[in-house]
Amino acid sequence: MHKRLAFVDTLRGIAVLSVVLQHTLEQIVLNQPTGTYYWTFHYALGEYFNFGRFGVVLFFFVSGFVIPYSFPNSAAPVRDFAISRFFRLYPAYWLSIVVLLVLSPAIEGKTFPSSHVLANVTMFQMFMGVPNIRIAYWTLTVELIFYISCICLFATGFLTRRLTALQIVIATCIIGIVAFPVVKIHAVWGVLELALDLTAMFFGKVIRDTVMEGKLNWRHVGICALLYVIFAAGVTYRRYGVDYQENFFCAYGMGAAYIVAAFVFIGFAALGEKAAWRFMSFVGMISYSIYLMGSFAMIVIFYYLGAGSGPVQWLLFTVAVIAASILVSWLTYLAIEKPSIRFGQRFRSPRSFASVSLQSPLRSQVAE
């Protein structure tokens, strides 16, 4: 295992608790009367900010900061990278599918076609035109696209080049900005939203190359930040519009989520380990399990206890969901995620003493 960066785990913790908070408060407002607080919920969760998308985009920045530097110094770095990612992602993911297939029919009354389940087992369901059996799985597809992109760039030698990530961010942002006044086809902006997600990841690498690797400087970060903000505003405007439909998606809220996530990440990266928070670092360490298992804790608590009928009870419900999510996910991490990562290390190739791409003096500090 590489030494973990505490501030990166702190960011993961903030990200995953933001997602849990969004889903929990949505559960309250969608499933019981909230009276005079109805619009307060919607303003806070949808129209002016979306905590869920903020958390997801923060995860994307973290991936960009970490993943390009996760190719091991071994005889077969691409193979070993793919194996490590497989054992990092799939076992806990498969467990979440099993839990979903057990709980969803019993509690939510939902069942899924066998073909959809089998496609989702691969994690490539969106490439097959099959819907996610759980909405949160969409982010894993974006992660896979980024992993494949990094593998291709690494194999061709571009990932190690000083300006590659910077050029990708600038070029993609410019394409989106130029498209804004002329392209109004909604499907095209769906593709550009995916491009925005990937841009956040490559922007994360630009920040890494500035604060840790010494390849770039803050001028490059500033250029990327300016273009990214304009690109994010354009994408969210075209995708969601400013006419709020009470569905928690709106240009203001989604745009703010993308933009705030960028500046929060830049701030933490600039401060480094000074920004680490021990408890949140622990939450970040188990954040993948929380992302997969937290919603199950929420639906079980809501099914058996409800969410209450006023601010105090809603607060208690939210605290209970967060606490239960952390507990269940910690157990999942200990029982499934951590052993799977260790098991995957058995298949690692022998260490190579040759010069390996992306090796740096700070390589040992890359978080898994």
Side-chain angles (χ1 to χ4, degrees):
M1 293 291 291
H2 299 296
K3 179 181 177 181
R4 303 186 72 98
L5 290 169
F7 85 89
V8 172
D9 274 334
T10 297
L11 283 165
R12 287 187 177 111
I14 293 170
V16 78
L17 291 188
S18 296
V19 173
V20 172
L21 178 65
Q22 179 78 28
H23 292 167
T24 301
L25 297 182
E26 284 182 8
Q27 184 82 359
I28 294 171
V29 74
L30 291 174
N31 291 284
Q32 63 182 71
T34 50
T36 58
Y37 297 97
Y38 180 81
W39 280 108
T40 301
F41 277 104
H42 277 282
Y43 291 151
L45 303 177
E47 186 163 10
Y48 297 119
F49 197 76
N50 188 295
F51 285 94
R53 187 58 60 97
F54 163 77
V56 166
V57 177
L58 207 51
F59 273 127
F60 290 159
F61 273 95
V62 168
S63 289
F65 194 86
V66 171
I67 296 302
Y69 287 88
S70 295
F71 288 86
N73 182 13
S74 67
V78 171
R79 169 187 174 276
D80 292 343
F81 171 83
I83 289 174
S84 70
R85 291 298 95 193
F86 176 87
F87 284 100
R88 176 72 174 85
L89 296 182
Y90 275 90
Y93 172 71
W94 286 335
L95 175 64
S96 75
I97 291 178
V98 172
V99 174
L100 178 66
L101 295 178
V102 172
L103 288 183
S104 194
I107 293 180
E108 298 178 311
K110 295 180 182 178
T111 57
F112 308 98
S114 298
S115 60
H116 288 188
V117 174
L118 291 174
N120 274 257
V121 166
T122 69
M123 208 183 285
F124 284 89
Q125 58 272 15
M126 290 180 66
F127 297 109
M128 305 176 192
V130 175
N132 297 299
I133 58 176
R134 182 170 167 237
I135 190 63
Y137 292 161
W138 76 269
T139 64
L140 302 181
T141 300
V142 179
E143 291 280 351
L144 287 177
I145 294 173
F146 183 62
Y147 293 172
I148 294 169
S149 300
C150 287
I151 288 173
C152 293
L153 291 171
F154 182 88
T156 56
F158 284 97
L159 195 60
T160 62
R161 295 187 181 182
R162 174 174 172 265
L163 299 179
T164 296
L166 177 69
Q167 290 168 339
I168 290 173
V169 172
I170 292 175
T172 308
C173 289
I174 290 175
I175 290 171
I177 292 169
V178 171
F180 178 77
V182 295
V183 178
K184 298 182 180 180
I185 301 172
H186 193 261
V188 172
W189 286 99
V191 174
L192 287 174
E193 184 178 27
L194 172 60
L196 177 62
D197 295 332
L198 294 171
T199 298
M201 293 174 165
F202 282 106
F203 192 4
K205 185 180 186 303
V206 170
I207 296 167
R208 168 66 177 260
D209 288 340
T210 298
V211 300
M212 288 183 66
E213 307 301 323
K215 295 180 179 180
L216 300 174
N217 57 53
W218 285 105
R219 182 183 76 255
H220 298 113
V221 174
I223 293 170
C224 289
L226 175 61
L227 293 174
Y228 171 87
V229 167
I230 299 172
F231 183 27
V235 168
T236 52
Y237 178 84
R238 290 297 188 201
R239 279 287 285 165
Y240 303 104
V242 296
D243 184 17
Y244 184 56
Q245 302 295 319
E246 301 180 39
N247 60 356
F248 303 105
F249 294 99
C250 181
Y252 301 130
M254 297 297 280
Y258 276 96
I259 293 167
V260 172
F263 285 101
V264 167
F265 188 86
I266 291 170
F268 270 76
L271 291 172
E273 295 298 78
K274 295 178 182 178
W277 177 12
R278 186 172 182 179
F279 170 73
M280 201 60 72
S281 294
F282 165 74
V283 173
M285 183 182 68
I286 62 173
S287 59
Y288 183 55
S289 289
I290 295 176
Y291 186 77
L292 292 173
M293 307 300 291
S295 63
F296 300 132
M298 178 188 69
I299 63 174
V300 169
I301 292 174
F302 185 82
Y303 181 77
Y304 286 104
L305 301 176
S309 58
V312 174
Q313 292 178 333
W314 296 333
L315 175 61
L316 292 175
F317 172 69
T318 302
V319 171
V321 168
I322 292 173
S325 298
I326 292 173
L327 176 60
V328 170
S329 301
W330 178 53
L331 296 175
T332 301
Y333 174 80
L334 293 177
I336 303 295
E337 193 176 342
K338 189 174 182 180
S340 297
I341 293 171
R342 286 180 174 172
F343 182 74
Q345 291 174 346
R346 298 182 181 182
F347 301 96
R348 185 165 176 164
S349 303
R351 180 177 176 82
S352 172
F353 293 98
S355 175
V356 177
S357 298
L358 287 183
Q359 187 70 22
S360 75
L362 295 171
R363 178 65 178 276
S364 64
Q365 290 184 301
V366 176
E368 285 289 343

